[in-house]
Amino acid sequence: MIRDDPIPGAITTFWPERAGLPCGRPLLVLGLGNRLLGDDAAGPIVIEQLVQRHGEHPDVSWRDGGTLGLSLLPEIEDADALVVVDAARFGAEPGTVQVFEGLVMDEQLGGRKQSAHELALADLMGAAALGGRLPPRRALVAVEPADTALGLEPTPAVAAALPALVAAVEALVARWAPGRTNASDAALPLQEVAHEA
C-alpha cells in the first residue's frame, strides 16, 4: 500500500530530482581563496566582480566559498555544472590564466596541493564522486599566483589577470547555463576564451 500522508515520527527524505522537480541551481560558480593572502584572493574577487556585472541570474549561483568547508558539499552535489575560480600553482608564469575542464580538472586537483583549500576542494570533489553526485560539467579557472603571503591586495601580475579570469568564467557560463534564450541573459557574452588544457 502506498501512503499519501507521512508516517508520524518517521524520517523522510525527499529527492526533488527523482520527482522531476528542479533541485538547486543548475550552475554553481565558486570562488575560493583567502582575501588576506595577496594573490589567494583572486577567486573571491572574481565572484565579487561577476555579481557586480550580472547580479542575480536565474540559472547561476555566484558563491564566495572563501577557504572552503564541508558545508559546500551539498551545493556541489546539487549543481549540474560547477566552475571553480582559484589561485593555483600549475607551473606557469605568475598571472597566467588556465582553464582545466572535466578529467583535466580532476587531474589538477589530484596533484600536489599548494594550499589548504586545494586539498579541501579535492576532498569535496572526491566525496561528491563517491556519492555519485559529481557535476558532469566541471571546470577549474585558475591563475598562477606570484605571492600568497599576508597582504590585502593581489600582486600586479594577478591583478592584471582578473579580467581574463572573469572572461573565462563568463565563457563557461555562456556554454553551460541553461535558459540563455531570453533578453535578460544578454548580459552574459557568448564568447569563447582561448585556454590550454
Side-chain angles (χ1 to χ4, degrees):
M1 178 173 121
I2 298 175
R3 296 179 56 104
D4 291 330
D5 59 323
I7 299 170
I11 298 173
T12 58
T13 303
F14 177 67
W15 299 93
E17 66 275 12
R18 292 183 187 163
L21 300 172
C23 60
R25 296 200 181 193
L27 175 57
L28 173 61
V29 180
L30 183 62
L32 300 182
N34 187 328
R35 288 183 177 263
L36 302 176
L37 297 179
D39 291 343
D40 198 46
I45 290 171
V46 167
I47 295 300
E48 184 178 279
Q49 290 181 4
L50 288 164
V51 168
Q52 288 172 355
R53 288 171 63 115
H54 304 291
E56 287 293 316
H57 191 282
D59 299 312
V60 180
S61 178
W62 314 110
R63 182 80 152 87
D64 179 344
T67 54
L68 201 60
L70 189 56
S71 63
L72 293 172
L73 182 59
E75 290 181 64
I76 291 172
E77 290 179 329
D78 286 345
D80 289 335
L82 171 68
V83 177
V84 178
V85 188
D86 195 11
R89 298 201 186 276
F90 48 89
E93 289 295 314
T96 302
V97 172
Q98 189 161 341
V99 176
F100 302 90
E101 287 189 41
L103 295 175
V104 180
M105 175 187 180
D106 301 344
E107 291 169 10
Q108 172 68 17
L109 292 176
R112 190 168 153 244
K113 309 301 181 289
Q114 300 292 327
S115 69
H117 54 89
E118 282 182 276
L119 177 60
L121 179 59
D123 289 345
L124 281 174
M125 300 300 283
L130 191 60
R133 309 237 359 230
L134 185 65
R137 294 173 294 167
R138 57 193 177 278
L140 171 64
V141 179
V143 62
E144 181 78 33
D147 186 8
T148 56
L150 192 61
L152 298 177
E153 298 292 329
T155 61
V158 170
L162 291 173
L165 283 167
V166 169
V169 171
E170 288 174 334
L172 288 165
V173 169
R175 282 177 39 211
W176 291 350
R180 292 183 287 110
T181 58
N182 63 42
S184 68
D185 296 323
L188 290 173
L190 299 177
Q191 63 183 3
E192 286 294 323
V193 174
H195 63 275
E196 301 169 1

